Amino acid sequence: MKHRAVKRRSVVLGIGAGAGAVAVGGITLNAQASTTASTAAASTSAGSTPDSLVFDPDAYTELTATLTDADGADHEVTYHFWKALTYVAKPVDEKYQSLNVNVPVKIDGKKVDASRAPILFANSVGGYMPSSVADATGVGGGGMTGMPTGGASGSPAPTASSSGGTGTGEVQSGGNAMVNGGEMVSLPKLALVAGYVVVEPGARGRTLKNSAGEWYGTAPAAIVDLKAAVRYVRANKGRIPGDTARIVSCGVSAGGALSALLGASGDSPLYDTHLKEIGAADASDAIFASGDWCPITDLEHADGAYEWNWGSNELSTGKQVDQTVSKQLRAQFAEYQAGLKLRGRDGFGPLTARNYDDYLLKQYLQPSATTYLKSLSDSARTDYLAANPFLTWDGEQATFTWAGFLAHVGARKKTVPAFDAFDLSAGENNEFGAGTTEARHFTAYSLKHDTSGTTAKRLAADIPEQLRLMNPMHFLVGKANPQRARHWWIRLGTKDSDTSLTVSANLAAALAGLGDDVDHRYYWDQGHGANTDPGDFIAWIAKVCGATRK
Ligand code: DHB
């Protein structure tokens, strides 16, 4: 699909040693400085930061591109582009453990000073796969790499087929791929044209295997890498443009899960040994705000949540999943939900498996349908209502039942269990692989029902720790992490059956219960990876960053 945000890129050029402005073909470029010389100069002020992690303010390429803003208007943006900076001192794989920095300097001919601008920290993880920015030629060029080729035990694609055989195998997300009515949405590009600094980190992912047959990108590699990248930015405060106290993370799906985890787990000592191992900079990895689209998170409880939500919906084949398994998993969700002791927002009271349908309807789904119907022309609304009799419209508000809603969504995307597949075929089984083992169970239930032939009698000893490192809920429920982000933007399509609709609602309820600023909405009739209000997110960044700025 063609990217909407870039219509024309007029200059892409980097020149060797020697600073200063150079005129090429009538366009002024800033020459790329010699990295060694300026790194040495900068490192005098770097304190404990190793030389290799000192950001060189002069080592950029100046690029100019026509970028479209969230309102659809084109702007000529001149920006400084730092490419593939390795963000750890002891990289395992620099292709992934590197980041790009984009800083706007001129928009429509007017100089902009982004030295104190918010920093959008945009990961491009999809499907818990590796993501790299090393081959990008400008802003928004990061992407998921290493799609499995489907060998004997090839890992499945991240979305439709992740629990084996339910879908088409198409990849609907990844590479920060978000869609708005069929158009691609690039938050990095929208943020740059809004005058923000944009940092795009790569990260290791689950399909990476070295020559010794060891899986080196499985949990917790991706979150450790993203934290290391935040630390790199922080350690370079004063050298890297932008306000390092206003780092706003974003991501979609697995990337949304990691963005949420980054927000929840800021500065947690649980990651220290992992960060040390790769030579992360000695700095804070707490972030200011977190933007999370369709986060595929809370993985160890996601099978139960999935059955609670989509358990009675048929697969696209028209078949129902095994209802005995589905009901057992649903019962696990009820127990889990009760144990969380979360309260619904706006005075709803305790959230349980018994009232969660009502909560979703009142708090999210009916308001979402209402907003959608209000946005339609009279004739389009009439048509929509005629085609969707499950929905009642009184001229002001949409109402419908949970059963009506489930029928409206239709086929569930995944088989049962959705995440910890009995045959170890889900992407998440690979995410919890370790050493030379490609895929492992991470729930006792699926281990008990294993069909892969594993001889393990109990979950591997490190699994509880891995789950803890990968789940934002662990940092929010019980003893909450005081270093978490306090501003949250969470979005999910109402037709997204990649996970349960309760997953992001629980995240939002936990955060709101802690008093954090949470903007959580569901996009009506949208599927996985939707982002239909990107301009609102860009404006929200300005609001939350400005409101608390001293
Ligand atoms: C993604 C989608 C999934 O269904 C999943 O289980 C994990 C990740 C994704 O699109 O990133």
Side-chain angles (χ1 to χ4, degrees), residues 125-128 158-159 162 173-174 252-255 296 414 419 428 498 528:
V125 176
Y128 289 102
T159 57
S162 32
S173 78
V252 50
S253 197
I296 303 287
K414 296 183 173 181
F419 294 90
E428 284 73 14
D498 274 54
H528 193 57

Side-chain angles (χ1 to χ4, degrees), residues 153 155 206 208-209 212-219 424 428-441 452 454 456 460 462-463:
S153 57
S155 308
R206 65 180 168 84
L208 298 173
K209 185 163 64 157
E214 292 156 348
W215 298 84
Y216 65 92
T218 54
L424 291 177
E428 284 73 14
N429 292 119
N430 178 209
E431 174 62 4
F432 289 103
T436 55
T437 306
E438 177 178 355
R440 300 188 299 175
H441 287 297
S452 79
T454 179
D462 66 308
I463 286 288

Side-chain angles (χ1 to χ4, degrees), residues 135-179:
D135 296 329
T137 52
V139 66
M144 177 176 77
T145 63
M147 275 310 292
T149 47
S153 57
S155 308
T159 57
S161 63
S162 32
S163 64
T166 60
T168 59
E170 98 243 56
V171 177
Q172 295 197 340
S173 78
N176 216 346
M178 297 176 163
V179 286

Side-chain angles (χ1 to χ4, degrees), residues 74-246:
D74 284 351
H75 301 277
E76 187 172 76
V77 180
T78 300
Y79 65 104
H80 292 171
F81 178 59
W82 285 258
K83 181 168 165 161
L85 308 174
T86 303
Y87 55 68
V88 286
K90 294 186 264 175
V92 179
D93 194 332
E94 286 179 285
K95 178 172 177 191
Y96 305 103
Q97 294 170 305
S98 57
L99 56 79
N100 293 351
V101 178
N102 309 272
V103 178
V105 290
K106 222 192 277 175
I107 301 180
D108 295 332
K110 275 224 294 279
K111 277 197 171 145
V112 292
D113 176 9
S115 57
R116 296 278 297 155
I119 299 173
L120 183 71
F121 185 86
N123 80 62
S124 51
V125 176
Y128 289 102
M129 308 285 281
S131 57
S132 175
V133 296
D135 296 329
T137 52
V139 66
M144 177 176 77
T145 63
M147 275 310 292
T149 47
S153 57
S155 308
T159 57
S161 63
S162 32
S163 64
T166 60
T168 59
E170 98 243 56
V171 177
Q172 295 197 340
S173 78
N176 216 346
M178 297 176 163
V179 286
N180 184 5
E183 295 254 23
M184 299 297 286
V185 176
S186 168
L187 289 178
K189 288 174 181 168
L190 292 175
L192 193 70
V193 72
Y196 305 155
V197 170
V198 179
V199 172
E200 299 178 84
R204 286 170 294 166
R206 65 180 168 84
T207 53
L208 298 173
K209 185 163 64 157
N210 65 21
S211 53
E214 292 156 348
W215 298 84
Y216 65 92
T218 54
I223 186 60
V224 171
D225 284 355
L226 294 179
K227 280 175 171 288
V230 171
R231 287 181 175 213
Y232 172 92
V233 172
R234 270 282 155 52
N236 281 296
K237 179 180 175 195
R239 285 186 292 271
I240 199 165
D243 185 350
T244 57
R246 295 289 177 271

Side-chain angles (χ1 to χ4, degrees), residues 194-366:
Y196 305 155
V197 170
V198 179
V199 172
E200 299 178 84
R204 286 170 294 166
R206 65 180 168 84
T207 53
L208 298 173
K209 185 163 64 157
N210 65 21
S211 53
E214 292 156 348
W215 298 84
Y216 65 92
T218 54
I223 186 60
V224 171
D225 284 355
L226 294 179
K227 280 175 171 288
V230 171
R231 287 181 175 213
Y232 172 92
V233 172
R234 270 282 155 52
N236 281 296
K237 179 180 175 195
R239 285 186 292 271
I240 199 165
D243 185 350
T244 57
R246 295 289 177 271
I247 298 175
V248 180
S249 151
C250 70
V252 50
S253 197
L258 289 162
S259 179
L261 183 56
L262 204 56
S265 69
D267 286 343
S268 165
L270 288 181
Y271 302 86
D272 282 353
T273 50
H274 295 284
L275 287 161
K276 215 176 176 141
E277 207 172 283
I278 55 173
D282 187 12
S284 165
D285 56 60
I287 59 167
F288 182 72
S290 176
D292 317 321
W293 279 261
C294 50
I296 303 287
T297 195
D298 201 4
L299 296 174
E300 65 270 42
H301 305 110
D303 289 334
Y306 197 95
E307 296 315 312
W308 175 88
N309 195 151
W310 310 117
S312 55
N313 286 36
E314 291 173 350
L315 293 161
S316 58
T317 56
K319 288 207 183 99
Q320 278 220 319
V321 300
D322 182 331
Q323 289 297 300
T324 308
V325 172
S326 181
K327 286 199 175 105
Q328 286 171 353
L329 287 168
R330 249 176 270 183
Q332 288 179 16
F333 171 72
E335 200 178 316
Y336 170 59
Q337 193 62 42
L340 282 176
K341 297 196 166 41
L342 293 177
R343 300 182 76 81
R345 303 190 66 182
D346 301 329
F348 183 84
L351 269 181
T352 69
R354 287 175 80 88
N355 65 18
Y356 219 131
D357 49 357
D358 196 34
Y359 178 63
L360 285 173
L361 286 172
K362 294 207 171 102
Q363 185 70 21
Y364 294 115
L365 303 176
Q366 292 177 164

